[in-house]
């Protein structure tokens, strides 16, 4: 009940983030129900039914990542004196965040069930009832218990992940040492004034592991592309929706390794962008932009890597089969991953801006113009585009390489 009251009193931006989480959870629920409908229409093909459900793992992971970012950016997840007096201290804030996340995801799952039944024709009297009866196996009964079980996967995973993320942040804040008193303000804005150079920035260590996973994925998919060449209707090919139809398991496994490697290496690449901006003898603009990127590399890196992989996968699917054969379920899954990646980046940027509010206030108090803050943000965006746009193109080329061969 407290979670609902806090949601009702939240700001419009926080409500928009929860609404986005509900929409993406509903999209994933619709994909899971579509896989269940296909399984009920093909009772003797259990392997392909499992593959169709496993195809939803990437949208589920993207939605869970969005849920964690929304919970971290939610003001209700930060310690406040009013919640302390109500008996909700730092130890119970993760539970409150988990309940809020579960409510938003359950709302989306319930809407997904209604839309699925409506498009099947089970709910009539509204426009477009039964419009996708053939695609959703309307002539077969839908197992209600299995449908409800599938619809609880995303809310449960999102709630647990949000609680664990906020619990780790609360523990870090609780065990952190008190900061020393700030020095006297200098005459001009500097790195010390920004609050970004007082403590050493932790360097991400995922670049070697990400490079190793990406190299292994390229080798694995290339080997599978040369050795496993069944036609799209032959035994051993994956009959997945739309543009993924006809691919061999080895190629898909190599693609998953490549995607995992890029996501693991993305924080290190983000930190490298910050190092590039602050190299040499930087001025206030480059130093501010570079130090912010270095300090926020872990927070922004993983969603940037997921966005890079999603863009590359969409380009690869369009290149392989074209938009005419890009099925509706494939388009829905790709759209969910893209929207979740963009929403995660937006939530992480908002959380980072909130965490830097004290440093930004100090800069403005020292006489720094607001245009400096805006130019630093544009410089960070340009540096990220300079690195991740070519990386998306390279990932796209590695994805289509085994199919071209």
């Amino acid at each position: 009940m407290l979670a609902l009251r806090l949601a009702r009193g939240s700001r419009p931006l926080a409500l928009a983030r929860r609404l986005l989480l509900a929409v993406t959870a509903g999209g994933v629920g619709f994909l899971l129900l579509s896989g269940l409908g296909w399984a009920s229409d093909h009772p003797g093909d259990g392997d392909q039914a499992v593959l169709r459900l496993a195809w939803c793992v990437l949208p589920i992971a993207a939605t869970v990542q969005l849920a964690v970012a929304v919970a971290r950016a939610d003001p209700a997840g930060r310690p406040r004196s009013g919640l302390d007096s109500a008996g909700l201290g730092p130890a119970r804030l993760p539970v409150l965040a988990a309940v809020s996340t579960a409510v938003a995801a359950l709302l989306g799952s319930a809407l997904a069930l209604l839309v699925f039944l409506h498009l099947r024709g089970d709910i009539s009297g509204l426009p477009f009832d039964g419009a996708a009866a053939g695609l959703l196996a309307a002539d077969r009964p839908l197992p209600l218990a299995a449908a409800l079980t599938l619809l609880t996967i995303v809310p449960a995973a999102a709630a647990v992940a949000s609680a664990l993320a906020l619990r780790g942040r609360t523990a870090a804040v609780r065990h952190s040492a008190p900061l020393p008193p700030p020095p006297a303000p200098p005459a001009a804005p500097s790195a010390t004034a920004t609050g970004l150079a007082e403590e050493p920035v932790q360097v991400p260590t995922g670049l070697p592991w990400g490079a190793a996973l990406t190299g292994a994925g390229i080798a694995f998919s290339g080997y599978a592309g040369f050795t496993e060449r069944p036609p799209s209707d032959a035994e051993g090919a994956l009959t997945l929706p739309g543009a993924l139809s006809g691919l061999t398991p080895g190629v898909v496994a190599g693609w998953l390794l490549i995607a995992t490697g890029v996501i693991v290496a993305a924080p290190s690449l983000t930190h490298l962008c910050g190092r590039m901006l602050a190299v040499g003898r930087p001025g206030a603009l480059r130093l501010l932009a570079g130090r912010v990127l270095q300090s926020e590399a872990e927070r922004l890196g993983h969603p940037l890597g997921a966005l890079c992989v999603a863009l590359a996968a969409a380009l690869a699917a369009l290149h392989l089969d074209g938009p005419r054969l890009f099925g509706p379920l494939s388009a829905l899954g790709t759209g969910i991953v893209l929207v979740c990646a963009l929403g995660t980046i937006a939530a992480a940027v908002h959380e980072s801006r909130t965490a830097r509010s004290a440093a930004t206030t100090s800069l403005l108090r020292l006489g720094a113009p607001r245009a400096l803050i805006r130019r630093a943000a544009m410089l960070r965006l340009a540096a990220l585009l300079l690195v991740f746009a070519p990386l998306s193109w390279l990932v796209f080329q590695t994805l289509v390489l085994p199919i071209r061969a």
Side-chain angles (χ1 to χ4, degrees):
M1 200 63 185
L2 179 60
L4 294 177
R5 291 179 65 87
L6 289 175
R8 188 183 64 179
S10 298
R11 295 180 178 179
L13 187 58
L15 291 176
R17 288 194 295 264
R18 292 196 185 100
L19 179 60
L20 180 63
L21 175 60
V23 170
T24 54
V28 176
F30 188 87
L31 288 177
L32 291 172
L33 291 177
S34 301
L36 180 62
W38 190 93
S40 63
D41 196 27
H42 301 78
D45 201 350
D47 294 339
Q48 294 295 334
V50 172
L51 284 174
R52 281 180 170 258
L53 291 178
W55 177 71
C56 302
V57 170
L58 288 179
I60 290 175
T63 305
V64 171
Q65 186 184 40
L66 174 64
V68 171
V70 169
R72 289 177 62 92
D74 196 348
R78 304 190 187 99
R80 289 183 291 181
S81 58
L83 294 178
D84 289 340
S85 62
L88 290 174
R92 295 190 180 183
L93 283 179
V95 179
L96 181 62
V99 172
S100 301
T101 303
V103 168
L106 282 174
L107 176 62
S109 298
L111 291 177
L113 180 60
L114 292 178
V115 172
F116 181 81
L117 294 177
H118 175 61
L119 293 179
R120 273 171 54 99
D122 298 334
I123 300 178
S124 58
L126 296 174
F128 305 105
D129 54 336
L135 181 63
L136 304 179
D139 55 340
R140 296 281 185 174
L142 182 69
L144 184 59
L148 294 179
T149 302
L150 289 177
L151 289 177
T152 58
I153 291 178
V154 174
V160 171
S162 302
L164 292 177
L166 288 188
R167 182 180 180 182
R169 185 176 69 175
T170 303
V173 171
R174 186 185 307 170
H175 292 92
S176 61
L179 294 176
S190 63
T192 305
T194 63
L196 299 173
E198 297 177 0
E199 296 181 359
V201 178
Q202 185 179 1
V203 179
T205 59
L207 185 57
W209 295 101
L213 287 173
T214 303
I218 293 174
F220 199 80
S221 61
Y223 177 79
F226 278 106
T227 58
E228 301 177 3
R229 293 178 173 276
S232 59
D233 57 347
E235 184 179 359
L238 303 182
T239 58
L240 294 177
L244 296 179
S245 178
L247 297 178
T248 61
V251 173
V252 175
W255 284 4
L256 291 178
L257 286 176
I258 293 172
T260 305
V262 172
I263 294 174
V264 169
S268 297
L269 295 176
T270 306
H271 187 272
L272 181 61
C273 291
R275 292 289 297 270
M276 290 168 51
L277 288 177
V279 71
R281 303 184 62 179
L285 178 62
R286 287 202 295 128
L287 181 61
L288 178 61
R291 292 295 290 178
V292 168
L293 271 185
Q294 292 178 59
S295 61
E296 302 297 332
E298 287 286 354
R299 186 178 298 166
L300 295 176
H302 293 302
L304 284 173
L307 179 61
C308 175
V309 170
L311 289 175
L315 291 175
L318 292 174
H319 176 79
L320 294 176
D321 283 345
R324 184 179 60 86
L325 299 179
F326 197 72
L329 297 181
S330 297
L332 178 60
T334 305
I336 289 173
V337 175
L338 287 173
V339 170
C340 287
L342 291 173
T344 304
I345 292 173
V349 169
H350 177 76
E351 182 189 0
S352 173
R353 184 180 302 170
T354 303
R356 299 194 315 269
S357 59
T360 304
T361 304
S362 300
L363 273 175
L364 297 177
R365 189 184 302 119
L366 291 170
R370 291 187 178 272
L372 176 66
I373 309 297
R374 292 193 294 267
R375 289 200 301 268
M378 296 301 297
L379 186 59
R380 292 195 299 270
L381 179 60
L384 291 175
L385 287 176
L386 185 63
V387 172
F388 282 94
L391 180 61
S392 300
W393 183 82
L394 288 176
V395 174
F396 157 67
Q397 294 295 328
T398 56
L399 292 181
V400 301
L401 182 61
I403 310 300
R404 287 175 176 174

